[in-house]
């Protein structure tokens, strides 16, 4: 996997939906509508607890990754 800088969430989300890149770490607020519309699949949130405004994203800790809390 290679890191590829983007000028913002919009460019990264556009490219992941278009198949130019495999994944993107995006701001949950930017991705939430796309996930709810079925245009994007969220794997997990990286915060220790679910974000109040983006409760649809489960966390890595909820997935059972040891030591991630």
């Amino acid at each position: 996997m290679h890191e590829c800088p983007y000028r913002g969430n919009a460019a990264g989300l556009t490219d992941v939906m278009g198949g130019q890149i495999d994944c993107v770490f995006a701001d949950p607020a930017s991705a939430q509508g796309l996930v709810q519309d079925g245009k994007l699949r969220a794997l997990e949130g990286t915060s220790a607890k679910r974000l109040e405004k983006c409760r649809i994203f489960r966390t890595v800790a909820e997935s059972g990754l040891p030591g991630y809390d």
Side-chain angles (χ1 to χ4, degrees), residues 25-26 28 42-51 54 56-63 68:
F25 283 87
L43 298 177
E44 297 172 334
T46 56
S47 60
K49 295 180 182 178
R50 287 192 186 205
L51 300 174
C54 299
I56 64 170
F57 300 114
R58 71 177 186 190
T59 67
V60 174
E62 289 175 314
S63 298
Y68 198 96

Side-chain angles (χ1 to χ4, degrees), residues 2-8 11-12 15 21 24:
H2 299 282
E3 183 179 331
C4 184
Y6 277 85
R7 293 183 184 190
D15 281 357
I21 58 175
V24 64

Side-chain angles (χ1 to χ4, degrees), residues 16-56:
V16 78
M17 289 188 311
Q20 285 83 15
I21 58 175
D22 295 324
C23 66
V24 64
F25 283 87
D27 171 26
S30 299
Q32 185 173 6
L34 296 168
V35 172
Q36 289 173 329
D37 291 345
K39 296 178 181 179
L40 184 69
R41 182 172 58 114
L43 298 177
E44 297 172 334
T46 56
S47 60
K49 295 180 182 178
R50 287 192 186 205
L51 300 174
E52 189 61 37
K53 293 184 179 184
C54 299
R55 306 232 12 110
I56 64 170

